Amino acid sequence: MRGPAEARRGSFLKEPGLILDGSVLIRDGLVEEVGLTRRVENLKAARDAVEISAAGRVVMPGFVDSHTHLAFPPPGWAHTDAASALNAVKTSSARSVANQMRKYLRAMARHGTTTVEVKSGCGGGPRAELKLLRALSLAGQDPIEVVATFLLRLPAPAEGPDPAEAAVEWACAEFLPLLNRRRLAQFADIVWSPVESRQRLIRRYLETAARLGLGCRVHADGGGSREAAALACDLRIAGIDHLEQIAVAELGGLAASGPVITLLPGLAFHTGSRPAPARALLEAGAAVALGSNFNRSDSPMLNMQTVVSLACRELGMTPAEALIAATINGAHALGRAATAGSIEHGKPADLVVFNVSDYRELGYHSGMNLVHLTMKRGEFIYQEGDVAPLAAEHLRRAW
Ligand SMILES: [Zn+2]
């Protein structure tokens, strides 16, 4: 995935930087060298290295899942209605929510994700939002890196003054400064509204977040994509996500030079809804990333390998485009391009070894876990297990 310093678009999205018969030299968790094996193994620094063979397999940067709702509804909660899920958050401690979240984070590690964005946004008021974000910071780096986002959902319109006014006032005056002081979120996100009077409020929210030094995102899963795209370009925000409803004529400056657009093919797969016009976005020069949108309500899939294969089958992306979108462009969407998304000198060694001999097979299989090994910062955090009979006493001990 070596390439230019900016998010990949146009012809750069076609070039995964493949090295045939390559090796990676890792020291103290960082990539020291990457290149042809015959060159790397002759380096002085490689003389005492422990060799881990990946012969016949594909080694890739770990997936960067740039859009999930993993935090809510909370894991381990059997019901899917929002009210009881919210109650579960309110009555649990941040520590126990974090422990539940780790189950999903571990499952992601098993499927090759090494960096993940997680949004709050339960709509349960300041205490519940704060609890989710505290739980995310407790789950922190274990086993994979969590990028925390506060997602503001504006309340439904009501009689009299628009309640969105008070919600944005609260966020700008109190909550965003608090999150920033406590370093509980790296991004501020907001669900876009097609209602014109609310767009002034959304602008205010994003401008306040940017002034505080938070990254900004827009969650544009409904109508009014043209206005969302225009504001995203105007404010130069980090990412705009979903865009299932956008028409190509509405892209404006979004395509050629705008923020990274995270597409979420798992949502259309699960709900039967219309997918985003990925091919048109790519042809127009957009920087596209891929996310799982993982949540227990309408997108219960966290395997980025399946997201890649859906992007190939349903969105018409090529395997190279989809894998770049799921790694280095995801890192750009999260402001992590210096530390994630590619195997390059000086970056943390976040790698996945896949049980395929050609990377294009990742666009073909679906649902199957092809991960042989996952490495985070130079340490193996997952290795696939053998299929073999287990003694009953072994099982009892594990249980
Ligand atoms: Zn979403």
Side-chain angles (χ1 to χ4, degrees):
M1 300 297 172
R2 195 174 59 180
E6 316 81 56
R8 312 285 158 85
R9 50 182 93 229
S11 59
F12 291 112
L13 261 164
K14 300 190 190 314
E15 183 39 71
L18 188 67
I19 301 166
L20 289 169
D21 191 10
S23 283
V24 188
L25 181 64
I26 297 159
R27 184 197 287 266
D28 298 331
L30 301 177
V31 174
E32 182 141 321
E33 274 299 335
V34 53
L36 290 170
T37 296
R38 63 172 183 274
R39 186 176 70 80
V40 174
E41 68 185 5
N42 283 322
L43 293 170
K44 199 173 158 213
R47 231 173 260 165
D48 302 321
V50 175
E51 187 183 323
I52 299 144
S53 173
R57 294 186 165 104
V58 169
V59 180
M60 263 195 21
F63 288 120
V64 179
D65 187 347
S66 54
H67 183 128
T68 82
H69 299 266
L70 175 150
F72 190 82
W77 187 245
H79 303 285
T80 49
D81 66 299
S84 34
L86 193 53
N87 201 40
V89 170
K90 286 182 173 170
T91 53
S92 311
S93 68
R95 195 162 294 278
S96 77
V97 175
N99 284 336
Q100 292 292 338
M101 284 176 184
R102 282 198 189 94
K103 293 179 185 170
Y104 286 153
L105 296 172
R106 287 191 189 121
M108 287 177 165
R110 284 196 281 272
H111 291 88
T113 298
T114 49
T115 302
V116 61
E117 187 258 16
V118 184
K119 300 176 198 302
S120 69
C122 62
R127 286 171 69 95
E129 293 290 343
L130 212 51
K131 191 181 286 179
L132 289 181
L133 290 164
R134 279 216 320 276
L136 283 174
S137 105
L138 288 170
Q141 306 273 333
D142 176 25
I144 63 176
E145 187 175 348
V146 172
V147 178
T149 296
F150 167 57
L151 173 64
L152 180 64
R153 296 179 188 275
L154 296 174
E159 291 280 309
D162 185 355
E165 296 266 358
V168 169
E169 175 60 34
W170 160 75
C172 292
E174 293 175 42
F175 204 63
L176 291 177
L178 175 78
L179 294 183
N180 198 42
R181 268 199 312 281
R182 296 199 192 168
R183 299 194 179 284
L184 284 173
Q186 287 94 64
F187 282 93
D189 197 347
I190 187 162
V191 179
W192 185 257
S193 166
V195 179
E196 215 184 307
S197 60
R198 289 188 160 198
Q199 290 165 14
R200 174 181 54 81
L201 298 171
I202 292 173
R203 174 184 278 273
R204 184 177 160 217
Y205 170 84
L206 293 171
E207 283 176 342
T208 305
R211 253 198 316 276
L212 289 166
L214 290 160
C216 293
R217 320 184 61 79
V218 168
H219 198 272
D221 60 345
S225 308
R226 180 206 298 265
E227 293 78 12
L231 184 64
C233 291
D234 190 27
L235 297 182
R236 299 175 157 273
I237 67 169
I240 181 165
D241 302 3
H242 280 284
L243 288 182
E244 289 90 2
Q245 307 297 327
I246 200 160
V248 179
E250 297 177 340
L251 284 175
L254 198 56
S257 59
V260 180
I261 303 170
T262 295
L263 303 180
L264 311 153
L267 180 66
F269 174 77
H270 284 285
T271 62
S273 59
R274 160 185 153 160
R279 210 54 258 163
L281 288 167
L282 290 165
E283 302 308 335
V288 167
L290 286 169
S292 68
N293 195 39
F294 177 70
N295 71 77
R296 297 193 45 218
S297 313
D298 59 13
S299 197
M301 181 181 72
L302 54 70
N303 182 355
M304 285 293 283
Q305 300 159 68
T306 312
V307 172
V308 163
S309 85
L310 283 175
C312 295
R313 282 159 185 261
E314 307 293 326
L315 302 184
M317 292 172 75
T318 65
E321 289 169 338
L323 290 170
I324 291 169
T327 55
I328 187 65
N329 269 11
H332 277 287
L334 301 181
R336 289 289 196 282
T339 54
S342 65
I343 307 175
E344 290 182 88
H345 173 79
K347 279 190 164 187
D350 293 358
L351 315 178
V352 187
V353 181
F354 286 105
N355 289 324
V356 292
S357 56
D358 185 315
Y359 77 93
R360 290 169 293 191
E361 287 182 59
L362 287 162
Y364 177 74
H365 288 280
S366 68
M368 185 164 141
N369 188 11
L370 297 162
V371 173
H372 176 56
L373 291 165
T374 309
M375 175 185 276
K376 181 73 188 168
R377 291 180 218 91
E379 287 182 19
F380 290 113
I381 55 172
Y382 169 72
Q383 176 177 21
E384 71 173 325
D386 272 339
V387 177
L390 281 174
E393 60 168 46
H394 182 92
L395 281 173
R396 234 176 280 131
R397 234 180 291 134
W399 192 253

